[in-house]
Amino acid sequence: MAPTVPSAAKSASPSQPSGKSEVADLKQQLRQLAGSRAPDADDQRRDVFKRVISCMTAGIDVSAAFGEMVLCSATSDVVTKKMCYLYVGVHARAHPDLALLTINFLQRDCRDQDPTIRGLALRSLCSLRVRNLVEYLVTPLTTGLKDPSAYVRMIAAVGAAKLYHISATACIDADLPASLKALMLSDPDAQVVANCLHSLQEIWTLEAANSEAAAREIETLYSKPVVFYLLNKIKEFSEWAQCLVLELASKFLPSDNNEIFDIMNLLEDRLQHANGAVVLSTIKVFLHLTMSMTDVHQQVYERIKAPLLTLVGAGSPEQSYAVLCHLHLLVMRAPMLFSSDYKSFYCQFSDPSYVKKLKLEMLTAIANESNTYEIVTELCEYAGNVDVPIARESIRAVGKIALQQYDVNAIVDRLLQFLEMDKDFVTAETLVLVKDLLRKYPQWSHDCIAVVGNISSKNIQEPKGKAALIWMLGEYSQDMHDAPYVLESLVENWDEEHSPEVRLHLLTAVMKCFFKRPPETQKALGATLAAGLSDTHQDVHDRALFYYRLLQYDPAVAERVVNPPKQAVSVFADTQSSEMKDRIFDEFNSLSVVYQKPSYMFTDKEHRGPFEYSEDLTNLTVGTEAQENVISAQRYQENDNDLLLSTSDKEDNGTRASNGSATSTYNAPSDLIGSSLISSQTPAETSLINTGGPTYSSQSNFSLDDLLGLGVTETPTPPPPPALTLNSKPVLDPGTFQRKWGQLALALTQVCYYLVFAHAFSDYQRCNICHIGFSFPVFFSYDR
């Protein structure tokens, strides 16, 4: 009999292992306990195993005790067995050479009388994930699928999928998929059936890429006998298994309407389930089955409202957000069906910010003639919220409702009341919305301008709010008496304005004001063009240069370009295409709904399925046949994005395209402007921005400069430097070169320090760039 562990032996705290000395002590104790038959041997093994697991959890390498752990695995204590299997499963992957030591005792435990130990041993055996041990897995798995214990059969069903990932050939050769299918259709235990279904789906989905037989087997899973067999047993399944079966039912293609109604009758009570995942899975089945039946599909919307609204108010904030995301998707497809339940989306005081923001979007989507007044009244209350992001979103929601042509009169009055609030962010958000309203409803310009004209630009700090005010000053300068003088004061503070968006709007606004009130804006226009031409931001400089050359070419043309007659905007562009929304709807009850984007946009390529990924969000293609269409669509989108991007987006894109360079220039296409507009810079531009190049000889250029008060005088054009001619085939012997080199005066002295060494030579060389020969000392540095 092995001696017992002395009580005075070193015992470290499980939470504070002591490293190598602790591992050595554990090995010694395990060696003493191996084969011990003492009455308290099992308790001692359990304590030592706990310390081993504690060290392993703390990150200490305890693989040195692998042999001792295997020797101590011969015990009937289930807790000790579990810890031993955990240890083996972790270290067998990192040390596959040691995993062979575990095969004997794991196979022995697979034949144990206790079904719990049989199941644990089989799970640990399949979790080794060592390719060299595949031959030892097939027999225990085949036996496990026929085990009288449902627990062992359940583990064997999952183990078949693990074996497929280790060696697909071994799994197929052992005919495990056929055994899983037979077990799924005949086993009385619901959890065994669910595990078989999950393993079959995983195996056949991966195998279908290489085998037509596997593709046909997948179709059999979606057949009527299998689907109805599983649906009839759905009440016996766990919540996870119910979601698995319902996902399978959503892909079933019924042959007639009677099958649709039969499935809906079977799943009617699942809408009252307490688990949100089961309810959403059931709703997905109902929606997909009735897509071809318009009347029934609308009745489904009415039927699913109550369960969804119940889940929103009954669960945790995280569950409420997930359910609200699905409700938002349904509202976007059928807003009228949810318009009477608008009070269910009022923000509660205890709601987190992300839930409040989503509820505001819901209120915006379901607003119509019957509930606009109540919804806008509620949103106006949120404008004074202490949560600034929610207050901003509420103001934007009011503006979006106004753009939907519902009760515009009352909404405009409420928006103008926001301007009286002494809050910078409220004023900024309101000005942006007033600008959009004026673009769609020009008839409201007199009422809005009367209020906006009293706002001082000095009180607006946010760039987007100031840009909106500047846009109104330029667009309606004929109705605002102080517009030229306000713009002039903004131009005087040009250097203090750091936002390119504001500078761009200021350039355009001054140009518009000049064509409407020239005498008052003449001086401001000259100062604006001078400041814009000398601006370091590329977009601002290019726009100022474009306006300057337009005025040089023809002021009448410039007026038609900058200030043309405008039509009211009927519909503002939607951020998501209808095709993308349909794709998200097809992926109902998934993360695609929460992220509001299709799965191919946030998953790896190997998980995207047959859909080709494209940066163009409006183009989804299948296979490789439409690849050329995707490329052409991307090119069109790249050109079109320049018109849609905001100033900050353009700046970011330009920075990425030039790899951080701030000196790249943009050349306008010659087919957009006349030849005189794309000619090189004039003397006025040369003096303003210090750039060289050919000059205009027309006297009208300087008349424009005098008109704008730029004060530019004509300077003579410097003569061009003499042309440099190089000999492509020089002939010079070393002696002559040394003599001529010594006659030259010293022009530059430079000392170079190299990390390793420098090599100098004087010989004939050829330039690697222009391939022209030259002869002078060349220094090369070699840096290891």
Side-chain angles (χ1 to χ4, degrees):
M1 179 181 300
T4 59
V5 180
S7 59
K10 178 180 178 181
S11 178
S13 172
S15 59
Q16 296 180 350
S18 56
K20 293 183 179 180
S21 60
E22 177 73 7
V23 175
D25 182 53
L26 290 174
K27 289 179 61 178
Q28 181 181 0
Q29 295 183 41
L30 288 171
R31 210 175 286 118
Q32 293 174 354
L33 291 172
S36 175
R37 296 180 180 273
D40 58 343
D42 288 341
D43 295 337
Q44 293 182 22
R45 286 196 193 95
R46 180 183 295 186
D47 293 338
V48 176
F49 275 34
K50 287 181 180 179
R51 293 172 57 191
V52 172
I53 299 301
S54 177
C55 291
M56 188 174 65
T57 306
I60 298 176
D61 184 11
V62 290
S63 59
F66 197 94
E68 287 76 7
M69 290 287 291
V70 173
L71 291 175
C72 291
S73 61
T75 177
S76 58
D77 185 41
V78 178
V79 177
T80 306
K81 286 279 188 184
K82 288 183 178 181
M83 289 189 288
C84 182
Y85 295 152
L86 175 62
Y87 174 88
V88 169
V90 171
H91 289 283
R93 302 175 191 176
H95 305 279
D97 52 331
L98 300 177
L100 188 61
L101 301 175
T102 65
I103 295 298
N104 290 332
F105 87 88
L106 286 177
Q107 287 185 328
R108 183 179 66 249
D109 288 347
C110 286
R111 298 187 296 269
D112 195 274
Q113 295 181 355
D114 189 352
T116 304
I117 294 180
R118 291 202 305 270
L120 291 174
L122 183 58
R123 183 175 64 181
S124 301
L125 190 62
C126 296
S127 300
L128 295 180
R129 305 292 178 91
V130 180
R131 187 174 296 274
N132 298 333
L133 305 179
V134 169
E135 57 182 317
Y136 301 103
L137 302 181
V138 177
T139 302
L141 280 176
T142 306
T143 306
L145 291 174
K146 302 175 183 178
D147 196 277
S149 173
Y151 175 71
V152 179
R153 297 197 303 272
M154 179 180 64
I155 291 178
V158 178
K162 294 181 180 179
L163 175 62
Y164 181 85
H165 286 286
I166 300 173
S167 176
T169 304
C171 181
I172 300 300
D173 293 343
D175 205 17
L176 290 180
S179 301
L180 289 173
K181 183 177 179 181
L183 188 63
M184 178 185 70
L185 298 176
S186 60
D187 198 286
D189 188 87
Q191 190 61 39
V192 175
V193 173
N195 285 10
C196 291
L197 174 62
H198 181 269
S199 297
L200 282 175
Q201 286 182 320
E202 189 170 342
I203 293 173
W204 281 339
T205 301
L206 296 175
E207 190 68 18
N210 305 320
S211 172
E212 295 182 0
R216 291 191 297 269
E217 291 292 345
I218 292 180
E219 294 179 359
T220 61
L221 285 180
Y222 303 136
S223 61
K224 179 180 178 180
V226 176
V227 171
F228 276 82
Y229 169 75
L230 295 174
L231 290 179
N232 286 323
K233 298 183 63 174
I234 194 168
K235 295 182 180 180
E236 304 174 13
F237 292 118
S238 63
E239 295 172 346
W240 170 82
Q242 289 185 38
C243 294
L244 186 66
V245 173
L246 290 171
E247 182 65 23
L248 178 71
S250 67
K251 300 177 182 179
F252 171 65
L253 298 178
S255 58
D256 52 27
N257 294 341
N258 292 329
E259 292 182 0
I260 296 177
F261 295 134
D262 289 342
I263 293 177
M264 295 176 66
N265 290 331
L266 282 173
L267 300 178
E268 175 69 21
D269 59 337
R270 297 298 93 188
L271 292 175
Q272 281 80 36
H273 201 279
N275 186 273
V278 175
V279 175
L280 290 176
S281 298
T282 307
I283 291 174
K284 181 178 181 179
V285 175
F286 281 26
L287 293 174
H288 284 197
L289 290 179
T290 59
M291 286 293 293
S292 60
M293 307 166 63
T294 306
D295 296 338
V296 179
H297 194 71
Q298 183 173 351
Q299 294 177 10
V300 169
Y301 275 86
E302 293 286 352
R303 178 65 184 85
I304 64 179
K305 278 197 309 182
L308 288 176
L309 294 176
T310 302
L311 287 176
V312 170
S316 62
E318 292 78 13
Q319 176 180 321
S320 299
Y321 180 77
V323 177
L324 277 173
C325 288
H326 289 79
L327 263 173
H328 182 263
L329 179 62
L330 298 177
V331 165
M332 298 303 293
R333 295 176 65 90
M336 293 298 297
L337 297 177
F338 295 88
S339 59
S340 59
D341 302 295
Y342 63 91
K343 292 185 179 180
S344 301
F345 306 116
Y346 282 176
C347 296
Q348 304 295 328
F349 179 80
S350 58
D351 289 339
S353 298
Y354 53 88
V355 173
K356 289 181 179 179
K357 182 178 179 180
L358 193 54
K359 285 185 174 181
L360 293 177
E361 296 179 7
M362 302 278 288
L363 291 173
T364 305
I366 63 178
N368 56 23
E369 294 87 344
S370 61
N371 57 20
T372 297
Y373 179 80
E374 291 80 4
I375 292 178
V376 171
T377 302
E378 181 73 15
L379 293 175
C380 291
E381 296 294 330
Y382 303 154
N385 199 305
V386 294
D387 191 351
V388 175
I390 298 302
R392 290 179 182 272
E393 290 295 334
S394 63
I395 298 174
R396 294 170 190 166
V398 173
K400 291 178 183 178
I401 295 175
L403 295 177
Q404 295 173 1
Q405 299 181 351
Y406 300 136
D407 196 11
V408 180
N409 300 342
I411 297 177
V412 170
D413 293 338
R414 290 174 181 267
L415 283 176
L416 296 179
Q417 291 177 3
F418 288 156
L419 296 176
E420 300 176 359
M421 300 176 63
D422 190 15
K423 293 184 178 180
D424 179 62
F425 70 90
V426 175
T427 304
E429 294 291 344
T430 306
L431 287 174
V432 174
L433 294 176
V434 170
K435 181 193 73 172
D436 292 338
L437 284 174
L438 291 179
R439 293 174 61 194
K440 189 168 185 178
Y441 310 114
Q443 65 270 21
W444 287 94
S445 60
H446 295 286
D447 295 336
C448 295
I449 294 305
V451 179
V452 173
N454 298 325
I455 299 176
S456 174
S457 60
K458 298 180 180 179
N459 298 330
I460 305 175
Q461 303 299 327
E462 296 191 12
K464 60 180 181 180
K466 186 175 293 186
L469 177 62
I470 292 173
W471 180 87
M472 287 182 278
L473 289 172
E475 191 69 26
Y476 300 97
S477 55
Q478 72 277 7
D479 300 326
M480 304 175 69
H481 300 292
D482 297 335
Y485 311 106
V486 175
L487 292 174
E488 185 176 0
S489 63
L490 291 170
V491 174
E492 292 176 355
N493 299 323
W494 180 279
D495 295 334
E496 300 178 3
E497 185 55 60
H498 302 291
S499 173
E501 181 182 5
V502 175
R503 294 183 179 183
L504 289 170
H505 278 80
L506 187 56
L507 274 170
T508 305
V510 173
M511 283 285 290
K512 291 180 180 179
C513 188
F514 173 74
F515 292 120
K516 297 176 182 178
R517 302 169 68 173
E520 300 169 274
T521 321
Q522 174 183 342
K523 180 180 177 182
L525 179 59
T528 305
L529 291 177
L533 290 170
S534 60
D535 199 286
T536 57
H537 193 275
Q538 192 67 49
D539 289 345
V540 178
H541 170 268
D542 289 350
R543 183 173 294 189
L545 184 59
F546 176 67
Y547 288 163
Y548 183 82
R549 289 178 175 175
L550 272 177
L551 292 172
Q552 285 179 337
Y553 177 69
D554 189 349
V557 174
E559 183 176 6
R560 290 199 301 270
V561 172
V562 178
N563 192 32
K566 297 181 179 63
Q567 296 181 353
V569 179
S570 57
V571 179
F572 285 87
D574 195 354
T575 56
Q576 284 187 346
S577 64
S578 58
E579 186 176 0
M580 179 182 291
K581 292 178 181 178
D582 292 340
R583 176 69 188 276
I584 296 175
F585 181 78
D586 293 337
E587 298 175 2
F588 194 87
N589 192 27
S590 68
L591 284 177
S592 299
V593 182
V594 179
Y595 291 160
Q596 297 184 6
K597 59 181 67 174
S599 59
Y600 74 90
M601 297 181 62
F602 58 87
T603 54
D604 297 334
K605 291 183 178 180
E606 59 268 19
H607 298 114
R608 288 175 187 167
F611 289 89
E612 295 288 341
Y613 175 71
S614 171
E615 291 292 343
D616 182 5
L617 303 184
T618 61
N619 289 276
L620 300 176
T621 59
V622 181
T624 58
E625 297 178 356
Q627 192 171 8
E628 295 180 358
N629 296 334
V630 173
I631 296 175
S632 61
Q634 286 177 342
R635 290 174 180 171
Y636 173 79
Q637 187 70 12
E638 289 172 359
N639 297 332
D640 192 58
N641 279 343
D642 293 339
L643 303 176
L644 301 177
L645 290 177
S646 62
T647 304
S648 58
D649 294 333
K650 288 184 180 179
E651 182 180 1
D652 294 340
N653 292 341
T655 303
R656 289 192 294 267
S658 60
N659 194 20
S661 173
T663 61
S664 60
T665 58
Y666 168 76
N667 296 324
S670 59
D671 58 343
L672 296 182
I673 54 179
S675 59
S676 59
L677 292 181
I678 62 172
S679 57
S680 56
Q681 293 168 331
T682 64
E685 298 163 14
T686 304
S687 64
L688 287 171
I689 59 177
N690 281 332
T691 59
T695 62
Y696 285 108
S697 58
S698 175
Q699 186 66 26
S700 62
N701 301 334
F702 301 103
S703 301
L704 174 64
D705 299 333
D706 294 337
L707 175 65
L708 299 179
L710 298 177
V712 179
T713 58
E714 185 176 6
T715 57
T717 304
L724 178 63
T725 304
L726 299 178
N727 187 2
S728 60
K729 297 181 180 179
V731 178
L732 187 64
D733 60 278
T736 306
F737 169 78
Q738 291 293 346
R739 184 173 65 257
K740 290 182 175 296
W741 181 262
Q743 295 174 358
L744 297 177
L746 182 63
L748 176 64
T749 301
Q750 185 175 0
V751 180
C752 299
Y753 298 94
Y754 301 99
L755 295 178
V756 181
F757 65 90
H759 174 64
F761 63 90
S762 173
D763 200 351
Y764 174 80
Q765 297 292 326
R766 181 174 293 275
C767 178
N768 292 330
I769 300 177
C770 56
H771 304 288
I772 299 177
F774 58 91
S775 297
F776 56 86
V778 182
F779 292 86
F780 292 86
S781 65
Y782 300 85
D783 187 359
R784 294 183 186 273

